[in-house]
Amino acid sequence: MRINQIVVSAAPGDEVTESALTMARALRGAGVSSDVYAARRDSGLTQPVRRLDEYVTGDGNDLLIYHADVGDHRVVDFLLRSTEQLLVAYHGIAPARYYDEFDADSAARLRFDRSSLRRLGYRAIGALAYSSFAANELRELGLSNVEVVPPGLDRHRLLDAGADETLVAQLAESTGPLVLCVDELLPHARPDLAIAAHHMLNVNYVPDARLVLAGTPRNSQFASALTRHVHSLNLPSVSMTGAVNDAQLATFYRSADVLVVPSEYEASGSHIMAAFHFGVPVVARDFGAIREVAQGAAIVLGRDAGAPEMCEAIARVLRDVPLRVELRRRGHQVAAAVRPERTLTATLVALARVVAHASTPDHSPVH
C-alpha cells in the first residue's frame, strides 16, 4: 500500500508543505511508501517534493492524501479521476466575504475552493482536521469520518534553527520591545488591525515599540494597500518582512516580547503553538480555533475587540512582568503536550482509524 500526498503549491517555509513532508517522513518511518507531489513547486524548495505530472497512478489499495487549502482546478480534476482511495487533510479555506469588496477574483477562487471540497467529499473515505473548528467546517461541507489531529508540524525545525546573524544585528539596533505578527498578508488575517493597535501603542504607551509583520504577501493589491497605510501613519517602527526562512523566523520568535494574532479565520493556530514553544506571550481574538489551541495560555479577546482593546492587551503584557512570566509558564505547559513525536503518533493512529472505519461494510463514500 502506498500513501502519497498532494499539495497544490509547495514552497519553503509553507505550513501545508511542511505538514505533508513531516507526515511523509513519519509514514516512511512506519514502513509505508509515501511521496509528496505538487501542482506548483517553488524553485527555492530543497525538500523532496515531486511534480504532480510525474505521478504514476496506483490502484484502489493505495491512498491519496489531499492537503486542502488554496485550490486549483487541475488538482481537483486529477483527484476526481484518480483510482486510489482519497482522504482530505484540511488546513482551512478562508471565507470569501473578506475579499468580496477588495478582490473579486480571490473571492471567486475561495468559493471555488469550498465547492470543490464538497465535490471531493463525495468520493473521500474520510478526512483529517487540525482543530475541532476545522472538523465542523468539513462536516458542514458534507464530509464524514472526520478525525481531529494536531497540526503535523516539526517544531524542532524552528527550535533547532540557527540564528540569522544579519537579522540579529538589525534587531539589536533598537532596544524597544518587539511585537510580532506571523501570518500571510491577507485580508482575513487582519494585519491592518495589528498596525492600528501598534500605532496606538506607540502614541499612548510604548513609543519605542516595534511591530514586525512576518508573512508572505500573497495578494499584491492588499500588500500595497498595507504599505500605503503604514506610510500614511508615519510608522517607521513597522516592518513587513515578506517570506522568511527558518533561521529568520526563529530569530524573530527568539527576539519577540509578544505575539499578536488579529486574524478572523484560524483553522489550526500553528503560529500560536510556535510562540508557546519559544516562550512568547500571545494576544489573540476569539476566532476559529484560537481558544481551542490556546487552552488558557494566551490572552484571548472577544470577537468584537478592535485596535484599542488589542493595544491595551499588548501594553499590559509588555508592562506586567508577573503576567508575562505566567503566560510563558502556561504556554510551555501546552507546548509540552504537543511535542512532535506525540503529534505524529496521534496523526498516524487517526489515519489508521479513518481507513479502518471506511473499510467497514456500513461505511462507503457516496458516488
Side-chain angles (χ1 to χ4, degrees):
M1 179 186 188
R2 296 186 307 165
I3 302 180
N4 288 319
Q5 300 176 75
I6 308 295
V7 301
V8 170
S9 182
D14 174 66
E15 180 178 314
V16 177
T17 305
E18 182 197 339
S19 181
L21 289 167
T22 302
M23 191 182 297
R25 288 192 294 269
L27 287 166
R28 289 194 292 267
V32 179
S33 174
S34 183
D35 289 307
V36 179
Y37 294 81
R40 298 189 297 272
R41 188 181 184 281
D42 189 281
S43 59
L45 187 69
T46 59
Q47 299 287 352
V49 175
R50 304 175 69 176
R51 297 194 311 271
L52 186 58
D53 58 16
E54 297 176 339
Y55 187 82
V56 177
T57 302
D59 57 36
N61 293 318
D62 293 332
L63 180 66
L64 274 179
I65 300 177
Y66 169 50
H67 289 264
D69 63 334
V70 177
D72 184 298
H73 68 89
R74 296 170 299 169
V75 175
V76 174
D77 291 343
F78 167 83
L79 294 171
L80 290 173
R81 293 194 311 267
S82 62
T83 57
E84 297 88 341
Q85 299 180 86
L86 175 65
L87 182 142
V88 173
Y90 183 54
H91 295 264
I93 298 171
R97 65 178 181 273
Y98 288 100
Y99 298 76
D100 279 328
E101 295 184 8
F102 176 77
D103 187 341
D105 289 341
S106 292
R109 283 195 297 271
L110 289 167
R111 290 191 171 89
F112 167 81
D113 294 343
R114 283 188 177 253
S115 65
S116 297
L117 198 55
R118 188 183 295 275
R119 290 171 62 202
L120 292 172
Y122 284 112
R123 88 165 212 82
I125 64 169
L128 301 179
Y130 295 111
S131 66
S132 297
F133 165 78
N136 289 334
E137 282 202 324
L138 286 175
R139 296 183 184 110
E140 289 171 1
L141 288 168
L143 281 84
S144 60
N145 194 18
V146 180
E147 289 275 346
V148 177
V149 298
L153 305 176
D154 183 2
R155 304 296 172 198
H156 291 308
R157 188 188 102 256
L158 284 180
L159 290 171
D160 296 341
D164 183 302
E165 297 301 337
T166 300
L167 181 57
V168 169
Q170 291 174 351
L171 294 174
E173 292 175 0
S174 173
T175 58
L178 178 63
V179 180
L180 179 64
C181 182
V182 179
D183 212 334
E184 294 179 336
L185 298 185
L186 290 171
H188 69 270
R190 296 302 308 274
D192 56 302
L193 191 60
I195 293 169
H198 178 71
H199 184 221
M200 295 178 182
L201 184 70
N202 276 170
V203 171
N204 297 308
Y205 297 106
V206 191
D208 60 345
R210 298 163 290 164
L211 172 65
V212 169
L213 298 170
T216 305
R218 298 289 184 192
N219 187 298
S220 59
Q221 298 177 53
F222 186 68
S224 295
L226 280 179
T227 300
R228 291 193 300 271
H229 183 51
V230 170
H231 288 163
S232 71
L233 293 174
N234 190 26
L235 284 174
S237 58
V238 175
S239 300
M240 290 185 282
T241 67
V244 293
N245 59 34
D246 287 352
Q248 291 168 329
L249 185 55
T251 299
F252 281 129
Y253 273 119
R254 292 188 185 109
S255 304
D257 294 281
V258 59
L259 177 79
V260 59
V261 186
S263 177
E264 295 184 1
Y265 180 79
E266 286 291 330
S268 68
S270 59
H271 42 304
I272 294 177
M273 197 58 65
F276 288 166
H277 278 278
F278 280 95
V280 181
V282 176
V283 172
R285 295 194 297 162
D286 192 10
F287 284 91
I290 293 292
R291 194 173 293 277
E292 177 184 350
V293 173
Q295 299 181 53
I299 294 178
V300 180
L301 305 172
R303 293 167 64 93
D304 58 346
E309 292 80 9
M310 293 201 75
C311 169
E312 292 284 345
I314 294 167
R316 183 182 169 208
V317 170
L318 294 178
R319 298 189 299 180
D320 190 333
V321 175
L323 175 62
R324 287 203 305 277
V325 171
E326 177 62 14
L327 289 174
R328 287 180 182 133
R329 184 188 69 79
R330 294 183 190 179
H332 280 307
Q333 284 183 334
V334 173
V338 290
R339 292 196 301 269
E341 56 272 21
R342 290 187 180 183
T343 60
L344 287 174
T345 299
T347 297
L348 296 185
V349 170
L351 178 60
R353 280 200 302 264
V354 170
V355 174
H357 181 66
S359 65
T360 58
D362 61 341
H363 179 90
S364 61
V366 178
H367 294 280

